[in-house]
Amino acid sequence: MSQTLGFIGVGVMGEPMCRHLAEKSGARVLACDRDAEPLRRLAPAGVQSAGIAEIARDAEIIFLSLPSGEVVEQVVLGANGLLPKLRAGQTLVDLSTSPHETAIKLSEALRGAGVDFADAPVMRTRAAAQAGTLAVPVGADGPTFAKIEPLISCFATDVMHAGPVGCGQVVKILNNMVVYETVLALAEARAVAVRVGMDPERLFNAFATGSADSFALRNQGFKAILPQQFPEKAFPVTYARKDLLYAVRLAQQVGVDATGAKNLIASFDQAIEAGYGEMYAPAISLVFEGATASGGQR
């Protein structure tokens, strides 16, 4: 491909995605971030550091990987944001997890400038981002999806057209709702088993052979909740809470009382209050185990 791509936000997930794009797409890649360190690490892969204005000027397709929908709105629509710098024919792809209504708002604003938009939030873990094996549901019209799918496939093994703009975010926030409601159940189950004197490893092994088996059990369960290890610089409690707030808000907008998600947010709140907010999100388990934040495990 003889094109220039832009990438704004090269944090925990953005950095490996940007690297895969640079190494596999054949395109020139310009990247921007407040932190210079990941940009230095990306330089050997051919990624060039650039400002937002330069990216808006030179890139045909621009990817965003930012912490929240609020930050996405600021970067695109805020003072000194992208929108007035863009031109007709460009494409903006939001890889962040943003509210459904943010995707609709951005699409409408960009359409007026002749800019195509897709919401393509990424699913799976940091390890999957590093391996290039993410799953990405995309909300976009057909021609936009066809244009960006080969690029997303540089860092994802499962790229699906979820529907029109907004549907990618619907998939992502409801996926996280389901996963972390399961994580909450696993945290409660471990705490109960330990208090009655059962080995929690035997409990989880039994789950894995029965109908309680799940992705959450095999990843967050066995790797974090069972050993009570919740590293920082992973997907933290604060980020998971943000995604669940988006899910509850979407449910409220369509008249669904998402009681399970509300209970989960209450557990996230307890974990943050106890000092676990920057730990890997399954650290809600510590609320039930009675561990201390300083150790991060029991």
Side-chain angles (χ1 to χ4, degrees), residues 187-209:
E188 292 173 342
R190 185 194 189 279
V192 172
V194 167
R195 293 189 187 194
V196 299
M198 182 178 181
D199 179 356
E201 184 173 6
R202 289 179 182 269
L203 177 72
F204 280 18
N205 284 335
F207 284 172
T209 66

Side-chain angles (χ1 to χ4, degrees), residues 33-124:
D33 197 276
R34 291 180 178 179
D35 186 355
E37 184 55 35
L39 294 169
R40 284 193 288 269
R41 291 194 296 264
L42 286 166
V47 176
Q48 301 172 39
S49 178
I52 285 181
E54 183 181 353
I55 289 173
R57 184 192 68 206
D58 293 348
E60 291 93 345
I61 300 175
I62 302 171
F63 294 90
L64 305 178
S65 180
L66 298 167
S68 69
E70 292 75 16
V71 176
V72 170
E73 280 202 43
Q74 184 63 31
V75 168
V76 179
L77 304 178
N80 301 314
L82 276 171
L83 181 56
K85 301 176 178 65
L86 298 175
R87 63 185 182 278
Q90 290 176 294
T91 301
L92 188 67
V93 182
D94 184 17
L95 302 171
S96 323
T97 301
S98 301
H100 174 263
E101 67 264 27
T102 296
I104 303 301
K105 180 178 180 179
L106 293 177
S107 178
E108 291 175 349
L110 291 163
R111 187 184 304 119
V115 177
D116 294 325
F117 176 77
D119 53 295
V122 300
M123 301 192 298
R124 296 182 181 150

Side-chain angles (χ1 to χ4, degrees), residues 120-236:
V122 300
M123 301 192 298
R124 296 182 181 150
T125 61
R126 176 177 58 172
Q130 293 167 340
T133 57
L134 292 166
V136 183
V138 181
D141 60 35
T144 301
F145 177 76
K147 177 169 49 178
I148 65 176
E149 189 273 338
L151 296 171
I152 295 174
S153 293
C154 291
F155 51 79
T157 50
D158 294 279
V159 185
M160 60 217 78
H161 190 190
V165 166
C167 289
Q169 297 296 354
V170 171
V171 172
K172 172 61 185 289
I173 62 179
L174 295 184
N175 174 84
N176 281 14
M177 182 183 78
V178 171
V179 167
Y180 276 93
E181 286 187 38
T182 307
V183 166
L184 175 59
L186 291 169
E188 292 173 342
R190 185 194 189 279
V192 172
V194 167
R195 293 189 187 194
V196 299
M198 182 178 181
D199 179 356
E201 184 173 6
R202 289 179 182 269
L203 177 72
F204 280 18
N205 284 335
F207 284 172
T209 66
S211 55
D213 194 16
S214 66
F215 175 91
L217 172 66
R218 294 183 177 273
N219 287 273
Q220 291 93 339
F222 278 107
K223 297 175 183 178
I225 295 172
L226 180 61
Q228 294 286 276
Q229 294 178 349
F230 311 103
E232 295 188 3
K233 297 189 177 178
F235 183 68

Side-chain angles (χ1 to χ4, degrees), residues 272-283:
I272 292 168
E273 184 177 352
Y276 311 140
E278 297 308 311
M279 293 181 180
Y280 183 34

